[in-house]
């Protein structure tokens, strides 16, 4: 699986937008971009995924660069509950195997 | 609660003992995955099942590890002759076959080998 690079940590204030970057310069044409997050003492949870176009759901937005070499997860209004480790993951949509390859992720802190 | 459940939540064992963990996936999910997570690291894939068939195993899954999903529902992960390096959080996840991008994780079983 292609590699992703994320900052180790980021800080935000409550009710402000948060932009979490992810670089994936070696992404292939069939790689989907996934974001998961892991709240303290819990298993990871799915946030969003996309291939080429920007995506929105109730949790977040995913902005994908035109060359697909980077993407940004956008939390529109951070809450204290959004403090978590955020993982950017690439998965080859052509492969039958469905293992998610997690890196170390970005630890997001949210202050009130 | 209709999420993924794991049992036990915590297990302390002595080196050399065998341990077994159980995972109950979301009932309609035909895919089930096992991951391992150590402190400060992201989860690492171990193995996955589609129904009762084990389709992929990571190189991390040594001969001391075995996983089963006998009737395509719950799964067990057994570690024989535990070592201190096996201490970790063992996570189970499940998904629908056609929604593999959306894996639902359980709370994990924390194993401590003394």
């Amino acid at each position: 699986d292609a590699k992703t690079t994320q900052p180790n940590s980021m800080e935000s204030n409550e009710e402000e937008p948060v932009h979490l970057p992810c670089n994936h310069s070696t992404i292939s044409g069939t790689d989907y971009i996934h974001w998961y997050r892991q709240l303290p003492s819990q298993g990871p949870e799915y946030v969003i995924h996309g291939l080429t176009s920007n995506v929105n759901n109730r949790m977040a937005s995913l902005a994908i660069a035109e060359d697909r070499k980077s993407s940004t997860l956008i939390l529109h209004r951070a809450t204290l509950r959004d403090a978590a480790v955020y993982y950017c993951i690439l998965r080859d949509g052509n492969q039958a195997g469905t293992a998610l390859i997690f890196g170390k992720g970005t630890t997001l802190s949210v202050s009130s | 609660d209709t999420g993924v459940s794991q049992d036990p939540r915590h297990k302390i064992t002595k080196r050399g003992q065998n341990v077994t963990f159980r995972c109950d996936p979301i009932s309609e999910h035909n895919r089930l995955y096992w991951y391992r997570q150590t402190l400060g690291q992201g989860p690492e894939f171990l193995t996955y099942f589609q129904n009762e068939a084990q389709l992929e195993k990571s190189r991390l899954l040594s001969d001391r590890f075995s996983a089963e999903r006998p009737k395509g529902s719950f799964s067990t992960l057994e570690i024989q002759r535990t070592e201190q390096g096996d201490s970790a959080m063992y996570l189970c996840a499940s998904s629908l076959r056609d929604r593999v991008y959306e894996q639902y994780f359980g709370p994990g079983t924390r194993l401590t080998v003394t």
Side-chain angles (χ1 to χ4, degrees), chain A residues 51-85:
Chain A
L51 183 62
T52 56
S53 304
N54 294 344
V55 184
N56 300 297
N57 66 20
R58 63 175 178 81
M59 288 181 72
S61 296
L62 175 60
I64 301 173
E66 204 167 322
D67 63 6
R68 302 209 325 125
K69 293 186 177 181
S70 66
S71 60
T72 302
L73 179 71
I74 303 166
L75 307 179
H76 295 286
R77 286 185 65 194
T79 69
L80 296 177
R81 194 190 174 277
D82 291 322
V85 180

Side-chain angles (χ1 to χ4, degrees), chain A residues 6 28 31 33 58 66 70 77 83 90 112:
Chain A
Q6 300 177 251
S28 75
D31 283 333
I33 302 160
R58 63 175 178 81
E66 204 167 322
S70 66
R77 286 185 65 194
L90 300 184
S112 58

Side-chain angles (χ1 to χ4, degrees), chain B residues 65-76:
Chain B
F65 288 69
S66 63
E68 293 184 343
R69 193 182 184 197
K71 295 182 181 178
S73 57
F74 73 92
S75 175
T76 58

Side-chain angles (χ1 to χ4, degrees), chain B residues 53-64:
Chain B
Q54 188 173 17
L55 296 186
E56 188 175 345
K57 291 194 286 187
S58 160
R59 286 190 301 267
L60 293 174
L61 212 66
S62 75
D63 291 345
R64 296 184 297 106

Side-chain angles (χ1 to χ4, degrees), chain B residues 28-99:
Chain B
E28 64 268 26
H29 284 185
N30 41 25
R31 289 203 168 174
L32 185 148
Y33 318 81
W34 285 98
Y35 292 83
R36 180 176 71 185
Q37 185 173 26
T38 54
L39 208 59
Q41 305 295 316
E44 298 171 294
F45 170 75
L46 293 177
T47 188
Y48 93 91
F49 293 83
Q50 181 166 300
N51 300 315
E52 65 275 8
Q54 188 173 17
L55 296 186
E56 188 175 345
K57 291 194 286 187
S58 160
R59 286 190 301 267
L60 293 174
L61 212 66
S62 75
D63 291 345
R64 296 184 297 106
F65 288 69
S66 63
E68 293 184 343
R69 193 182 184 197
K71 295 182 181 178
S73 57
F74 73 92
S75 175
T76 58
L77 178 68
E78 181 183 16
I79 309 174
Q80 296 183 328
R81 306 181 303 282
T82 52
E83 302 172 356
Q84 287 189 320
D86 297 331
S87 295
M89 177 75 82
Y90 290 84
L91 293 160
C92 174
S94 69
S95 77
L96 291 169
R97 179 182 176 180
D98 58 353
R99 292 176 69 91

